[in-house]
């Protein structure tokens, strides 16, 4: 049986960051952007246009879905996103792939 995550790997850094954000629950685009900026300390240099293009691609690929805004959301224009089961599996596979690379870097004494 073939691995259903294989066609999606490796993920781009932006795609992986989006999936990481949504692994903890549904969020709207601006919240995703803020979380990525905070986690990467601005190193990713992500702008709203590139974020929304990446999320549209992830929706098209079946890794994300748009969902209804929570009842307490005051701004009804906000679109919320959630990770699909496939998206979660792809994010997990990417994390494992990156862990393998990190272990190789440690073995090559590139890291402490």
């Amino acid at each position: 049986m073939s691995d259903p995550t294989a066609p999606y790997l490796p993920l781009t850094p932006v795609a992986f960051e989006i999936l990481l954000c949504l692994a903890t629950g549904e969020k709207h685009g601006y919240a995703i952007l803020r979380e990525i900026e905070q986690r990467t300390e601005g190193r990713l240099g992500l702008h709203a246009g590139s974020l929304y293009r990446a999320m549209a691609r992830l929706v098209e690929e079946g890794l994300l879905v748009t969902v209804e805004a929570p009842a307490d959301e005051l701004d009804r224009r906000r679109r919320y996103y959630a990770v699909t089961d496939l998206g979660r599996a792809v994010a997990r596979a990417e994390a494992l792939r990156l862990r393998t690379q990190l272990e190789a870097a440690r073995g090559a004494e590139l890291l402490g």
Side-chain angles (χ1 to χ4, degrees):
M1 184 170 163
S2 66
D3 179 3
T5 66
Y8 303 97
L9 300 177
L11 289 172
T12 66
V14 170
F16 188 54
E17 286 292 339
I18 292 168
L19 292 172
L20 281 175
C21 287
L22 293 171
T24 58
E26 302 167 358
K27 294 179 182 70
H28 57 78
Y30 184 65
I32 294 167
L33 183 65
R34 284 193 341 247
E35 187 174 323
I36 291 171
E37 285 177 350
Q38 199 170 42
R39 182 178 28 252
T40 66
E41 297 176 340
R43 288 185 303 272
L44 197 54
L46 190 58
H47 299 285
S50 55
L51 172 75
Y52 284 103
R53 280 190 300 278
M55 288 193 306
R57 191 184 84 253
L58 293 170
V59 167
E60 186 176 300
E61 293 175 342
L63 304 181
L64 297 182
V65 291
T66 58
V67 294
E68 291 291 321
D72 62 347
E73 174 59 66
L74 300 176
D75 187 346
R76 302 311 288 170
R77 296 172 297 170
R78 286 185 171 160
R79 180 176 287 170
Y80 277 71
Y81 297 86
V83 67
T84 64
D85 289 342
L86 176 60
R88 185 172 297 282
V90 169
R92 185 177 302 113
E94 178 69 356
L96 292 171
R97 186 188 72 78
L98 292 171
R99 181 176 70 183
T100 300
Q101 287 185 321
L102 183 58
E103 289 169 356
R106 283 193 180 115
E109 298 182 7
L110 295 174
L111 302 172

